[in-house]
């Protein structure tokens, strides 16, 4: 059982900063921040969950069944991540590429302490066993305001797992698959990494978030492993019997010149290649949601709308469905995972070809971070525009990718990857 208190905040911005700093003492942390984006679907402006009471760490084998059992047994808030490699339990696939990060395939925990921020109000939910800590914790959080962070970051030397010539060779193979009709579209990704590197995870996250200010920012800590995410994309959300998924496909860079920036946005909205990419994934998402939807309830609420973020313009669609009350929330995720925007069409063939051509195990990248509420509602993002860090191995990684179709220009695809990589590189190098 949980004890709940509501507190009014004088300054939600400074409270959020102090709260995140205070959270660093715990081994299990999930911080989700909307950065005040006005999203009609969002439940909270920010959420912090810390200090595991119970937890599940597992590999991909029967992962969704184990998660289903854990979620049902816990019957409480649980926070964590799903890696891309859970595809191997959903389908007969494998992940044999190099993995320098070594994150568990699935990780969730039941927090002892939970903060739900909306506007200038914070709802604090503590398990009864730690309910007496609320006032002392609030005092500790308030008193952090005068503290300054000490950066531990050394010189970061970022390397490419796939160099430019090899990238073009692999893209030629991907295009050959498309020309043969094996697939119509696939998301091809490449890793940037640094070995023997020490970073301050919190300060790196702050830099990344300040650069991008995305609607689905995440700071996740699982002991010595960190996810620092500036994700602009929602994977899937459940509210009652309503499900939405919001795939992103279609990217254009921003310009400091207003006229040029508007032109870039307009061109993206009209770009036939980008629209076809998006529409193919929308069809895939519609199919994925139909597996658990009430018949006739799947619909496209928004098609190919362009949204502007600090680094890029993005083309986003919204697909919705209704599910029966008795449908288990984990089954909804299992039947749509991995998300269409990070796989391709047809989905299984695309994932198989991706595995052959990519050089790195994706792991948490292109997976998802989020939560289940006690009533079975959930909300999960897509882990893109993200830095992953294994502090024990001193290994830093970020990956970027793009949708490859018959109309893809390899040079433009490569340049798009560099555009997407800019924010993570800047957060690490500066």
């Amino acid at each position: 059982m949980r004890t709940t208190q509501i507190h009014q905040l004088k300054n939600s911005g400074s409270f959020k900063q102090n709260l995140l700093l205070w959270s660093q003492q715990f081994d299990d942390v999930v911080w989700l921040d909307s950065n005040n984006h006005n999203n009609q679907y969002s439940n909270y402006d920010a959420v912090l969950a810390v200090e595991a009471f119970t937890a599940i760490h597992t590999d991909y084998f029967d992962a969704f069944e184990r998660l289903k059992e854990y979620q049902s047994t816990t019957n409480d808030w649980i926070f964590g991540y799903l890696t891309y490699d859970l595809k191997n339990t959903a389908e007969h696939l494998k992940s044999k590429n190099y993995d320098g990060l070594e994150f568990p395939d699935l990780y969730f925990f039941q927090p002892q302490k939970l903060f739900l921020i909306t506007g200038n109000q914070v709802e604090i939910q503590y398990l009864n066993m730690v309910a007496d800590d609320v006032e002392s914790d609030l005092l500790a959080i308030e008193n952090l305001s005068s503290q300054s962070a000490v950066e531990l970051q050394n010189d970061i030397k970022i390397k490419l797992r796939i160099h430019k010539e090899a990238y073009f060779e692999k893209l030629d193979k991907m295009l050959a698959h498309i020309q043969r009709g094996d697939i119509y579209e696939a998301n091809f990704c490449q890793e940037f990494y640094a070995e023997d590197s020490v970073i301050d995870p919190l300060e790196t996250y702050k830099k990344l978030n300040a650069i991008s200010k995305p609607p689905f920012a995440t700071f996740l800590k699982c002991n010595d492993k960190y996810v620092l995410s500036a994700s602009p994309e929602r994977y899937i959300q459940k509210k009652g019997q309503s499900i939405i998924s919001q795939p992103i496909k279609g990217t254009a860079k921003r310009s400091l010149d207003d006229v040029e920036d508007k032109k870039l946005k307009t061109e993206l909205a009209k770009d036939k290649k980008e629209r076809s990419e998006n529409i193919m994934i929308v069809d895939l998402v519609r199919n994925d949601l139909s597996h658990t939807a009430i018949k006739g309830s799947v619909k496209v609420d928004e098609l190919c709308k362009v949204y502007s973020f600090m680094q890029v313009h993005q083309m986003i669609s919204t697909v919705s469905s209704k599910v029966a009350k008795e449908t288990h929330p984990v089954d909804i995720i299992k039947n749509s995972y991995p998300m269409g925007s990070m796989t391709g069409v047809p989905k299984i063939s695309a994932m198989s070809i991706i595995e052959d051509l990519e050089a790195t195990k994706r792991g948490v990248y292109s997976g998802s971070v989020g939560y289940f509420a006690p009533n079975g509602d959930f909300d999960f993002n897509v882990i893109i525009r993200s830095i992953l860090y294994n502090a024990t191995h001193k290994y830093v990684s970020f990956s970027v990718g793009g949708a490859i179709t018959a109309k893809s220009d390899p040079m433009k695809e490569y340049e798009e990857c560099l555009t997407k990589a800019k924010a993570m590189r800047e957060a690490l190098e500066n």
Side-chain angles (χ1 to χ4, degrees), residues 98-327:
Y98 177 74
D99 178 15
L101 289 161
E102 298 183 358
F103 280 60
D105 288 333
L106 181 145
Y107 154 72
F108 278 85
F109 72 97
Q110 177 189 12
Q112 294 187 37
K113 303 179 180 184
L114 178 62
F115 297 79
L116 307 166
I117 300 170
T118 307
N120 284 321
Q121 180 176 287
V122 58
E123 179 181 336
I124 301 172
Q125 295 189 20
Y126 276 30
L127 288 179
N128 287 346
M129 59 186 287
V130 292
D132 291 343
D133 293 352
V134 172
E135 297 305 324
S136 59
D137 283 349
L138 283 173
L139 185 62
I141 292 164
E142 185 180 339
N143 289 336
L144 283 171
S145 57
S146 62
Q147 294 189 12
S148 58
V150 178
E151 291 197 40
L152 303 173
Q153 195 153 313
N154 64 4
D155 290 334
I156 303 296
K157 296 178 181 177
I158 296 170
K159 305 175 187 176
L160 279 76
R161 185 69 59 187
I162 301 172
H163 290 279
K164 192 173 182 178
E165 285 188 10
Y167 177 86
F168 290 140
E169 288 174 6
K170 288 175 179 288
L171 230 58
D172 285 343
K173 291 179 181 178
M174 182 76 79
L175 289 167
H177 280 291
I178 293 170
Q179 288 158 5
R180 282 199 301 268
D182 300 332
I183 51 173
Y184 302 106
E185 175 179 349
N187 194 285
F188 178 63
C189 301
Q190 58 174 318
E191 183 194 25
F192 295 72
Y193 68 100
E195 299 169 298
D196 196 26
S197 297
V198 178
I199 65 171
D200 182 323
L202 181 57
E203 289 305 304
T204 304
Y205 165 77
K206 286 180 178 179
K207 288 178 184 176
L208 183 62
N209 192 48
I211 291 166
S212 300
K213 293 195 180 299
F216 300 102
T218 300
F219 178 96
L220 181 146
K221 177 184 178 184
C222 175
N223 297 305
D224 63 339
K225 300 173 182 68
Y226 296 84
V227 179
L228 319 173
S229 178
S231 174
E233 183 173 359
R234 170 181 274 123
Y235 157 42
I236 195 167
Q237 181 197 62
K238 177 180 181 289
K239 278 188 179 181
Q241 292 176 255
S242 297
I243 308 297
I244 65 158
S245 184
Q246 296 181 290
I248 290 179
K249 270 289 159 275
T251 304
K253 64 182 180 181
R254 298 294 307 268
S255 173
L256 295 175
D257 179 79
D258 287 344
V259 174
E260 175 69 14
D261 194 56
K262 288 178 182 177
K263 181 183 177 185
L264 290 167
K265 184 176 181 179
T266 301
E267 287 175 349
L268 175 60
K270 295 179 179 179
D271 191 302
K272 290 182 180 179
K273 173 190 172 289
E274 304 286 5
R275 288 183 67 87
S276 67
E277 283 181 15
N278 194 295
I279 290 167
M280 274 193 273
I281 297 304
V282 166
D283 285 342
L284 175 58
V285 172
R286 288 172 63 221
N287 182 65
D288 284 346
L289 294 188
S290 72
H291 295 308
T292 52
I294 294 170
K295 189 174 180 179
S297 69
V298 179
K299 60 180 181 178
V300 179
D301 300 280
E302 194 172 64
L303 184 64
C304 298
K305 184 173 179 179
V306 176
Y307 289 82
S308 299
F309 301 97
M310 291 184 72
Q311 294 288 307
V312 291
H313 299 295
Q314 299 272 204
M315 190 179 284
I316 304 176
S317 294
T318 300
V319 186
S320 66
S321 69
K322 299 286 185 183
V323 295
K325 288 182 179 179
E326 62 271 18
T327 303

Side-chain angles (χ1 to χ4, degrees), residues 216 218 229-236 245-248 339-342 364-369 380-386:
F216 300 102
T218 300
S229 178
S231 174
E233 183 173 359
R234 170 181 274 123
Y235 157 42
I236 195 167
S245 184
Q246 296 181 290
I248 290 179
M339 62 290 298
S341 62
M342 298 307 295
V364 177
Y365 171 70
S366 76
S368 184
V369 170
F380 285 87
N381 69 4
V382 178
I383 294 299
I384 52 176
R385 318 290 202 277
S386 303

